[in-house]
Amino acid sequence: MKTHLKTLYTFCFAVLLPFISSSQSKTFENPKAGTVIECQQWEVIDLIFSINKKVKAPFEIAATAEVTDGTEAQQIPLFYNGNDTWVLRYSSANTGEQSFVISSELKALDGKRGKITITKNQKTDRHGGIILNENNPQHLFYEDGSHYFNLAFECDWLFALDYGQSDIEKTKHLLSLLNEYRFNQVVMNVYSYDVSWPKDKRLAEHPEHEYGGREDIFPFLGSNSKPDYSSLNIEFFKHFDKVISEMHDQEIVSHLMIYVWNKLVSWPEMESEADNRYYDYVIKRYQAFPNIVWDVSKEALHKTRATAAYISERIERTRNLDSYDRLVSVHDYGFCRNHADEVDFISMQNWQHTLYQNMLNARNDFPNKPIFNIEHGGYEESPYVVFPGAYANAEVCLRRNYMCLFAGGYTTYYWQGASWNALIHNPFEQPEDFQKPHFEYFTHMRKLFDTAPFENFEATPRYNASGYNLTNKKDGIIMMYTPKENHYTSAKVQVSREFDYENATQQWFNTLTGEFTPEVKYEMKELGFWDYRPWRYEADAILIVRNLTPKK
């Protein structure tokens, strides 16, 4: 039977045979049946099996490893990796002894077996894959039970950053920056070709930042302009392994959009042999990574490329192939809204001025699903005008991110210098006249929610007043988001009606600087129309009232 990892049950490194390690999985060449392989919980390992014969149509060879602890079993598909080799890529959320046996139509693979010992995870910042929790269905969690505060950064062309290089130094640098500033997810494509809209002429002066239109990068044979769909480009996926592995090393989730329809990609025909080969191969090759979240396609129902029936079939295909049960969604709110039972979380794209209300409506419409706004129309400006969306001012973009959070959903940050074909991997090392991103705004956001558990908050619009309200009755916290133009914000009515506040405290948080005012005793009359609050006209601020006790 399939081991399901979307439940909160408790949970690969030192080994007993030689391994190869770099910015990719730990690798074991032709492990012998009597050898016990040892790895850590949530570590990814590759068991490589070589055969001594050429095989016709190797991508079509069926090979599956049954991995079992004697009680439950996973059916893990192997993938072809070129040079007459097949790979069993494996990770485990559970500790203990596992054994595997391979079944295949290929005689040289059939019957291969071995043992794996999984020891307890030793990385303090590693928490496992992203899962759902039936007791808190509108929030995301790690497998170890801790909350996953989904804070995403879009970087569609991440796959291209070091393509063709022996190492991925630029990729490592950018991911380290994101990690430092506390982003924990990258919304990315397996492959994109180029944008269809006009490009900023200044990009021509900095070709090192242009990644669109490259003919040397393609997941199939040939090139995007002259595709050969007869097979897949193994070198493309070997490079992509390094990217996903480095993300896993840095504990950054890959929100992996398997297709994109509006970036001029020469895809094979839908449901053709080549299309199915590509899609299945991605699922087989990357499912073992705990840092994977599947997304069938960016702009999934864009124009006439795909139908809802086709997307539904891809979701079912994913679930049939993925033995780890990673979360699945679709980058199209219309599809998610009409097929909510098929996706694990609701993906939104909402640019409207009424963003907060639209997010709130979605949360109310889907009380058993997390809501994730992948595109809220805020695309912070960069040295190049790449795609300005609806809002480009950094402070306004930040406010829209907070609107998503204060409606109880999750959010994504876009910076025009990294989201599409223009990709500046080292923005803080650019000339002084280059416009730098405000990554620090999101470090401050994470710092705020380190002090106030987001997973226990509910959006409470009846107490919004002139801002936005989040209420956490479990921990006794109210937060009131206040735009910098506002004169008046008060928690008075809510506190008096719903809480005992004898021991309550209050403080303010500056969304631009991350500064907290001193925490002082809460007083019922502390605010009013003429009362001064900190940073008025300078920064959006959040009033935090703590140590409240709900009335019985």
Side-chain angles (χ1 to χ4, degrees):
M1 62 182 283
K2 188 176 183 179
T3 300
H4 292 282
L5 298 180
K6 285 184 194 166
T7 55
L8 288 174
Y9 54 85
T10 58
F11 343 86
C12 279
F13 200 80
V15 294
L16 300 179
L17 71 157
F19 62 85
I20 302 168
S21 182
S22 61
S23 269
Q24 50 192 109
S25 309
K26 187 178 293 183
T27 302
F28 302 90
E29 301 273 2
N30 295 308
K32 298 187 182 301
T35 304
V36 179
I37 298 169
E38 191 172 309
C39 66
Q40 281 188 26
Q41 188 181 28
W42 299 311
E43 184 178 20
V44 180
I45 58 173
D46 284 355
L47 310 184
I48 299 177
F49 298 91
S50 303
I51 65 171
N52 296 319
K53 60 177 291 188
K54 293 292 181 184
V55 177
K56 184 179 181 180
F59 290 99
E60 317 312 322
I61 294 294
T64 303
E66 180 175 273
V67 183
T68 181
D69 62 1
T71 302
E72 292 189 320
Q74 285 177 277
Q75 305 296 326
I76 302 177
L78 280 70
F79 61 86
Y80 179 65
N81 200 36
N83 299 320
D84 307 313
T85 61
W86 274 260
V87 177
L88 167 56
R89 180 165 284 168
Y90 178 73
S91 68
S92 177
N94 296 319
T95 58
E97 304 293 328
Q98 301 274 1
S99 62
F100 70 86
V101 60
I102 296 173
S103 299
S104 177
E105 61 191 280
L106 191 61
K107 188 175 180 180
L109 286 177
D110 191 55
K112 295 282 186 182
R113 62 183 63 241
K115 294 183 179 180
I116 305 171
T117 297
I118 302 99
T119 58
K120 188 173 177 60
N121 168 57
Q122 297 300 313
K123 286 193 68 176
T124 57
D125 59 346
R126 176 160 289 173
H127 305 285
I130 311 306
I131 63 173
L132 304 177
N133 179 356
E134 62 182 11
N135 296 318
N136 195 342
Q138 291 195 300
H139 291 97
L140 298 168
F141 291 84
Y142 289 105
E143 285 175 294
D144 69 356
S146 56
H147 175 242
Y148 174 61
F149 185 83
N150 185 57
L151 183 55
F153 178 88
E154 176 120 359
C155 189
D156 290 347
W157 260 262
L158 184 62
F159 68 89
L161 195 50
D162 290 288
Y163 195 86
Q165 305 301 312
S166 58
D167 204 351
I168 57 169
E169 292 303 321
K170 293 178 182 178
T171 307
K172 290 178 180 178
H173 183 89
L174 176 57
L175 292 174
S176 294
L177 272 182
L178 298 180
N179 198 339
E180 176 186 349
Y181 285 94
R182 303 196 64 194
F183 294 96
N184 58 14
Q185 182 177 130
V186 176
V187 177
M188 57 191 291
N189 289 127
V190 173
Y191 173 73
S192 295
Y193 179 63
D194 211 349
V195 297
S196 57
W197 53 81
K199 295 183 180 180
D200 192 323
K201 294 180 180 179
R202 288 170 291 184
L203 262 177
E205 301 171 12
H206 293 277
E208 71 274 17
H209 297 151
E210 170 66 78
Y211 287 85
R214 285 182 56 170
E215 293 292 334
D216 60 322
I217 309 176
F218 198 51
F220 304 92
L221 299 184
S223 65
N224 194 74
S225 296
K226 297 180 179 179
D228 175 358
Y229 301 126
S230 64
S231 190
L232 295 171
N233 179 2
I234 292 293
E235 294 307 310
F236 174 92
F237 291 100
K238 287 182 177 180
H239 170 78
F240 203 65
D241 282 0
K242 296 178 183 179
V243 177
I244 300 298
S245 294
E246 182 63 27
M247 295 177 71
H248 181 43
D249 288 347
Q250 299 206 33
E251 307 306 322
I252 297 174
V253 168
S254 168
H255 181 118
L256 191 57
M257 298 181 289
I258 300 173
Y259 298 116
V260 56
W261 306 135
N262 67 343
K263 297 299 186 295
L264 307 180
V265 178
S266 297
W267 295 110
E269 290 297 316
M270 291 186 297
E271 298 187 272
S272 64
E273 182 179 13
D275 183 32
N276 293 339
R277 179 189 301 125
Y278 163 79
Y279 194 89
D280 292 353
Y281 192 73
V282 171
I283 303 300
K284 291 176 183 178
R285 188 157 187 141
Y286 297 106
Q287 62 180 267
F289 284 97
N291 62 318
I292 285 288
V293 169
W294 304 118
D295 192 321
V296 173
S297 178
K298 184 175 177 67
E299 269 81 40
L301 297 181
H302 178 75
K303 297 181 179 177
T304 58
R305 165 64 202 191
T307 64
Y310 174 73
I311 299 300
S312 292
E313 186 275 336
R314 298 290 103 167
I315 293 174
E316 183 179 5
R317 200 176 192 96
T318 304
R319 298 200 189 281
N320 289 336
L321 269 175
D322 178 10
S323 63
Y324 293 86
D325 229 5
R326 306 299 182 200
L327 299 188
V328 183
S329 193
V330 176
H331 190 282
D332 184 278
Y333 182 49
F335 181 90
C336 289
R337 185 179 61 239
N338 295 319
H339 301 263
D341 58 330
E342 298 176 31
V343 297
D344 293 311
F345 58 91
I346 304 296
S347 296
M348 289 186 67
Q349 294 166 271
N350 191 279
W351 291 19
Q352 294 178 334
H353 181 67
T354 53
L355 171 65
Y356 169 82
Q357 188 60 49
N358 295 336
M359 287 286 293
L360 195 66
N361 290 344
R363 201 167 190 274
N364 292 334
D365 289 343
F366 303 102
N368 296 312
K369 302 277 184 180
I371 309 297
F372 178 28
N373 197 327
I374 300 181
E375 290 193 52
H376 51 66
Y379 305 97
E380 186 182 314
E381 53 202 345
S382 80
Y384 314 112
V385 178
V386 184
F387 187 79
Y391 305 88
N393 176 269
E395 289 187 35
V396 175
C397 292
L398 177 66
R399 183 183 290 180
R400 290 180 72 78
N401 279 279
Y402 273 107
M403 285 180 180
C404 294
L405 293 175
F406 272 71
Y410 297 103
T411 190
T412 309
Y413 167 60
Y414 281 69
W415 180 54
Q416 291 187 53
S419 294
W420 296 277
N421 58 297
L423 182 45
I424 306 171
H425 76 280
N426 54 349
F428 303 114
E429 298 171 16
Q430 298 303 313
E432 288 187 10
D433 60 343
F434 264 49
Q435 196 157 15
K436 310 300 192 295
H438 286 280
F439 289 175
E440 75 277 7
Y441 289 170
F442 298 87
T443 309
H444 305 329
M445 178 187 288
R446 288 292 303 274
K447 182 172 72 171
L448 169 67
F449 285 102
D450 285 345
T451 75
F454 183 71
E455 68 274 23
N456 295 332
F457 279 94
E458 293 286 338
T460 316
R462 67 182 178 275
Y463 293 122
N464 274 353
S466 53
Y468 306 110
N469 178 294
L470 276 178
T471 299
N472 176 348
K473 290 188 175 181
K474 180 178 180 179
D475 301 301
I477 307 172
I478 292 172
M479 294 201 296
M480 297 289 296
Y481 183 93
T482 310
K484 65 182 182 180
E485 303 87 357
N486 286 14
H487 282 269
Y488 173 73
T489 296
S490 177
K492 178 178 178 179
V493 174
Q494 183 181 13
V495 169
S496 64
R497 288 179 179 175
E498 297 190 357
F499 296 94
D500 293 325
Y501 55 89
E502 181 180 354
N503 298 314
T505 64
Q506 69 177 57
Q507 67 181 153
W508 288 88
F509 173 78
N510 186 315
T511 61
L512 300 186
T513 67
E515 180 184 354
F516 286 96
T517 62
E519 192 170 0
V520 299
K521 183 176 176 57
Y522 174 78
E523 295 184 11
M524 183 58 71
K525 60 179 181 180
E526 88 283 10
L527 293 172
F529 290 108
W530 292 275
D531 288 309
Y532 179 78
R533 65 171 181 80
W535 313 302
R536 187 186 292 165
Y537 308 129
E538 297 175 11
D540 290 2
I542 297 171
L543 171 66
I544 311 164
V545 182
R546 305 180 192 272
N547 302 316
L548 295 164
T549 303
K551 291 181 178 179
K552 295 181 180 180

